[in-house]
Amino acid sequence: MRLLSAALLLANTGLALVAASGELSAQTDTIAARARAPKEPARRIAVTAEHLRTAFGDDRARTLLERARAARISQDSALLAYDARTYQRLSVGLGVRRLGEKLLLRAENAARVTWSRGTGVWIEPTGRRAAVPLVSGSAVGMDMTAATPIPYFPGRETLWFPASDMRVVRTEVNENDMLHPLATGAEAYYRYETGDSISISLPDGRSIDLRELRITARRPQWRAFVGSFWFDLESGSLVRAAYRMSAEMDVWQVAGEDARREAERGAQNAGDDEPPFLVKALLGRLTANITAITVEYALHQNRFWLPRTNVAEGIAQSGTFRIPVKLEERFRYEGVNGDLDVPEIPTLASLGLAPSDTSYSGYFQIGSQSRSGAADSSLSAQLARDDSLSRRQQAIADSLHRIAEEATAAGDTTLARRLTRRSNWAHRESRRLALRVEQCADGDWHIAGVGTRYEGALRVGIRMPCDTSVLSNSPELPGSIYSDGEELFGTTARDELLEALDMSLQPAWGPQPPTLHTGFDLLRYNRIEGLSLGISARSTLGLGYTADAVARIGSGDWVPNAELGLARSNGRRTVRLGVFHRLGVVNDDWGTPLGFGASLANALYARDEGFYYRTWGAELGGVREAPGELGSADLRWRLFAE
């Protein structure tokens, strides 16, 4: 459920962020309600003797997996504290066929993160800024403090994935979440084989031996990974890795499966994920895929492997639209186990707060002025505005509370619950603003929130600078928000890691049932075919192969058209062989004469300017990512005979 929500968010991020102009907190009630909902019981396949016999390509792979599995769930009690500088960058693109891809949104967040075993973690933002290049002339504000990455805490998952479900160690595989390749029971879903080895010499004369473990899924499924994982042979600690989803997610198919499973369980929100047919018809086939994840660790004090960089790339695609997303994290450590003074995180009572007053989720807004770019950005002016906003939010909270009581008295409990949630949010915002005004009257920092993360595994306190206008010009941020990231994330070293994700690293052969699709993207109208209806079928076969077929017929000529194709992909490069009998267009150098938009114009205005011809033949083509950062066009080639 949560992963599906993440996929839908990935698919709609571009449009949603442009349209949004309010508090992110206003959306947290729905998310929190889902988090409080009873979770689906964990389930996994029992590991059989046959699984164990076929899981390992060699004995060294079994030994390395067992060592890595033990290191994953063990905790080094010698790591007591650290002081780290974190940097996070989110990039969202928007691509349209024939026009290439452009940067839609980029947001950066820098923070100081201090942790001690007995206290918890303090997050202190040191820089933030955001840009939406497609919305020129508007100021953009985005606060991602609540999503600040935490390098380490007891129980943290070493294998990074951009979802909260994989931030805390789960000892066993759970089919309801991503299938962890190192968890207990993973032999039923994966195969393991050792690869290369590397020896690293340390300044003190010691050497560390690293061994590669190549992991592939037994069958292609979006919940499973394929990748290259490097471990410290002595400790079993993960040192670096490159991996990806073994198959892309068909969002509509997964939504239907989740809805049916929840209906079988009798869940209260059963059917919420089942998309209406009209939505599916309008958007066409909707897919989401994490094409590459890289993780790199660094050795500190010759003992502690702590994360250095995490990078994830994904893409959502619907028809001619592509939404690439890239999330990057970097960590720099000022001190590990030194003389670190990590103050106690205060209790709610000591701050005069109730449990519901501590939520801090940040904000995102596009407008003529952002929060830090108001006409008068002095601290006194900021505090005066916050004091006024605090009073206003409290008045709104009181008003909504009264209306909710009236709705309860009238028997409208649904409306009462909705109003109560919004009243609680307004009250929480009022208290947060009032606390800022109070603490900033004679200080430079204020406590923006205290609470826990990762299902209570980590106690967190957030300290925010009183003058937030300094964050956008912080020295912790790169010189430009549009920098390519070479110096920030070491893209050369990452490219070397990604070389392991070649065409040979694929899930095993295992053809999946085909999924059928029809919709407006397969509906067209022209003067040759008249009204032409199409249907497509697609099946993931394994070893990187996917078979696809499209059939259509028009009411104007009743000539059947069909295309058959076989493609192989590693998520970043695709090669496809196809045969076809179809209607071709001479003047297709711009636009899509056979697309839905042109077809709608043909039907409405009875003027079709396409030059058509009937053709049959075969083609060989390919697509690969162009060099450079997010926003570059793909490189496409095609050889054909017709």
Side-chain angles (χ1 to χ4, degrees), residues 240-567:
R240 63 179 187 175
Y243 48 104
R244 62 178 176 86
M245 288 166 54
S246 66
E248 67 180 9
M249 174 196 286
D250 186 319
V251 175
W252 303 139
Q253 180 185 16
V254 175
E257 292 173 355
D258 280 358
R260 288 190 293 272
R261 191 160 55 245
E262 288 178 355
E264 293 173 357
R265 293 193 302 117
Q268 183 178 1
N269 58 345
D272 287 356
D273 279 340
E274 182 67 48
F277 174 78
L278 182 60
V279 174
K280 294 191 291 185
L282 285 172
L283 292 180
R285 185 170 181 270
L286 179 60
T287 62
N289 192 14
I290 302 296
T291 57
I293 299 176
T294 57
V295 172
E296 294 182 74
Y297 281 74
L299 186 64
H300 293 268
Q301 296 186 350
N302 293 335
R303 177 172 183 175
F304 307 112
W305 287 104
L306 295 175
R308 182 174 62 182
T309 59
N310 299 321
V311 181
E313 296 180 58
I315 187 167
Q317 187 158 349
S318 173
T320 60
F321 291 94
R322 293 160 44 92
I323 302 178
V325 178
K326 189 172 186 179
L327 180 63
E328 302 162 284
E329 298 177 353
R330 180 197 65 195
F331 306 96
R332 187 180 77 251
Y333 299 89
E334 304 284 336
V336 175
N337 274 5
D339 185 15
L340 301 178
D341 182 18
V342 181
E344 290 291 330
I345 298 175
T347 63
L348 301 178
S350 66
L351 296 174
L353 297 174
S356 61
D357 295 334
T358 62
S359 175
Y360 186 87
S361 57
Y363 64 86
F364 174 77
Q365 61 181 187
I366 301 176
S368 57
Q369 292 178 340
S370 67
R371 291 190 174 195
S372 60
D376 185 356
S377 59
S378 64
L379 179 58
S380 59
Q382 291 181 38
L383 295 180
R385 285 192 295 269
D386 284 350
D387 183 62
S388 176
L389 287 173
S390 175
R391 298 174 188 274
R392 180 186 176 191
Q393 292 291 353
Q394 188 57 52
I396 293 174
D398 294 340
S399 177
L400 291 174
H401 182 69
R402 287 194 300 269
I403 300 174
E405 289 182 337
E406 295 173 359
T408 301
D412 192 346
T413 57
T414 301
L415 177 61
R417 284 195 299 269
R418 185 183 305 117
L419 292 173
T420 299
R421 287 196 300 267
R422 295 194 175 275
S423 174
N424 290 340
W425 177 85
H427 175 72
R428 184 166 61 244
E429 186 72 359
S430 173
R431 291 291 302 129
R432 187 180 68 82
L433 292 169
L435 184 63
R436 178 176 187 264
V437 172
E438 176 185 338
Q439 293 183 343
C440 290
D442 53 0
D444 297 327
W445 294 79
H446 70 98
I447 299 176
V450 296
T452 61
R453 285 174 67 174
Y454 312 123
E455 301 178 5
L458 179 65
R459 184 164 174 76
V460 179
I462 297 178
R463 295 179 68 234
M464 191 74 65
C466 292
D467 186 3
T468 57
S469 63
V470 302
L471 295 177
S472 59
N473 298 315
S474 169
E476 297 287 329
L477 300 176
S480 170
I481 195 172
Y482 301 108
S483 61
D484 60 10
E486 171 66 32
E487 297 180 356
L488 297 174
F489 297 98
T491 55
T492 301
R494 183 170 185 266
D495 289 342
E496 294 176 358
L497 275 176
L498 292 177
E499 289 180 0
L501 298 180
D502 55 17
M503 285 290 188
S504 66
L505 195 61
Q506 300 283 5
W509 181 263
Q512 303 301 301
T515 57
L516 302 179
H517 165 71
T518 186
F520 290 142
D521 58 321
L522 293 173
L523 178 67
R524 68 192 190 197
Y525 182 87
N526 56 73
R527 69 173 185 268
I528 304 299
E529 298 174 306
L531 182 63
S532 177
L533 302 176
I535 185 171
S536 68
R538 186 182 181 91
S539 174
T540 302
L541 305 176
L543 296 178
Y545 289 102
T546 301
D548 62 88
V550 178
R552 65 168 55 251
I553 193 167
S555 62
D557 58 2
W558 296 105
V559 176
N561 296 274
E563 296 185 39
L564 299 174
L566 181 66

Side-chain angles (χ1 to χ4, degrees), residues 1-13 16 27 30-35 161-165 176-178 222-223 249 251-252 254-255 258 262 269 272-274 286 288 316:
M1 172 73 79
R2 292 181 296 277
L3 289 168
L4 175 59
S5 300
L8 292 172
L9 176 63
L10 176 68
N12 293 283
T13 296
Q27 304 174 18
T30 302
I31 298 172
R34 288 205 170 195
F161 190 79
S164 59
D165 289 330
N176 301 326
D177 299 325
M178 301 300 290
W222 65 269
R223 294 184 186 274
M249 174 196 286
V251 175
W252 303 139
V254 175
D258 280 358
E262 288 178 355
N269 58 345
D272 287 356
D273 279 340
E274 182 67 48
L286 179 60

Side-chain angles (χ1 to χ4, degrees), residues 577-598:
L577 175 65
V579 295
F580 55 84
H581 176 252
R582 63 192 178 199
L583 187 68
V585 186
V586 175
N587 55 334
D588 64 345
D589 55 335
W590 183 258
T592 52
L594 292 177
F596 179 75

Side-chain angles (χ1 to χ4, degrees), residues 19-245:
S21 181
E23 298 292 337
L24 287 181
S25 305
Q27 304 174 18
T28 58
D29 289 326
T30 302
I31 298 172
R34 288 205 170 195
R36 291 191 299 268
K39 295 181 179 179
E40 188 174 354
R43 55 193 177 97
R44 69 177 177 91
I45 301 173
V47 179
T48 65
E50 179 63 16
H51 287 144
L52 294 176
R53 186 185 69 82
T54 58
F56 303 99
D58 53 81
D59 292 337
R60 292 180 302 179
R62 184 194 301 269
T63 302
L64 186 56
L65 175 64
E66 292 173 352
R67 192 168 297 172
R69 186 173 284 169
R72 173 176 171 263
I73 61 177
S74 65
Q75 302 296 326
D76 193 340
S77 59
L79 182 56
L80 302 176
Y82 63 78
D83 183 353
R85 300 284 176 166
T86 70
Y87 171 77
Q88 182 183 58
R89 180 167 67 183
L90 171 67
S91 303
V92 181
L94 179 62
V96 181
R97 189 178 299 170
R98 298 178 183 267
L99 297 180
E101 294 174 0
K102 301 296 182 183
L103 182 65
L104 175 66
L105 164 76
R106 176 165 288 169
E108 297 176 314
N109 177 48
R112 181 189 181 192
V113 176
T114 53
W115 169 84
S116 71
R117 187 172 293 273
T119 300
V121 65
W122 277 102
I123 299 175
E124 301 176 4
T126 56
R128 71 174 182 227
R129 63 187 175 193
V132 180
L134 297 182
V135 185
S136 60
S138 295
V140 179
M142 187 170 184
D143 181 4
M144 299 193 300
T145 302
T148 298
I150 309 300
Y152 171 84
F153 59 89
R156 178 189 183 275
E157 174 58 60
T158 56
L159 189 63
W160 182 74
F161 190 79
S164 59
D165 289 330
M166 288 190 67
R167 298 300 172 88
V168 179
V169 170
R170 312 287 191 210
T171 57
E172 295 191 356
V173 168
N174 183 1
E175 287 189 355
N176 301 326
D177 299 325
M178 301 300 290
L179 300 173
H180 200 297
L182 305 180
T184 301
E187 293 92 339
Y189 304 91
Y190 291 99
R191 290 192 173 98
Y192 307 86
E193 185 177 8
T194 54
D196 294 337
S197 61
I198 296 176
S199 181
I200 302 176
S201 299
L202 300 179
D204 62 359
R206 292 192 305 118
S207 63
I208 296 179
D209 295 323
L210 306 182
R211 172 72 71 176
E212 179 189 19
L213 186 63
R214 294 172 64 85
I215 303 178
T216 56
R218 287 181 177 267
R219 67 182 182 90
Q221 55 178 321
W222 65 269
R223 294 184 186 274
F225 299 108
V226 295
S228 168
F229 303 81
W230 291 79
F231 297 95
D232 180 345
L233 268 179
E234 181 179 354
S235 66
S237 299
L238 181 67
V239 176
R240 63 179 187 175
Y243 48 104
R244 62 178 176 86
M245 288 166 54

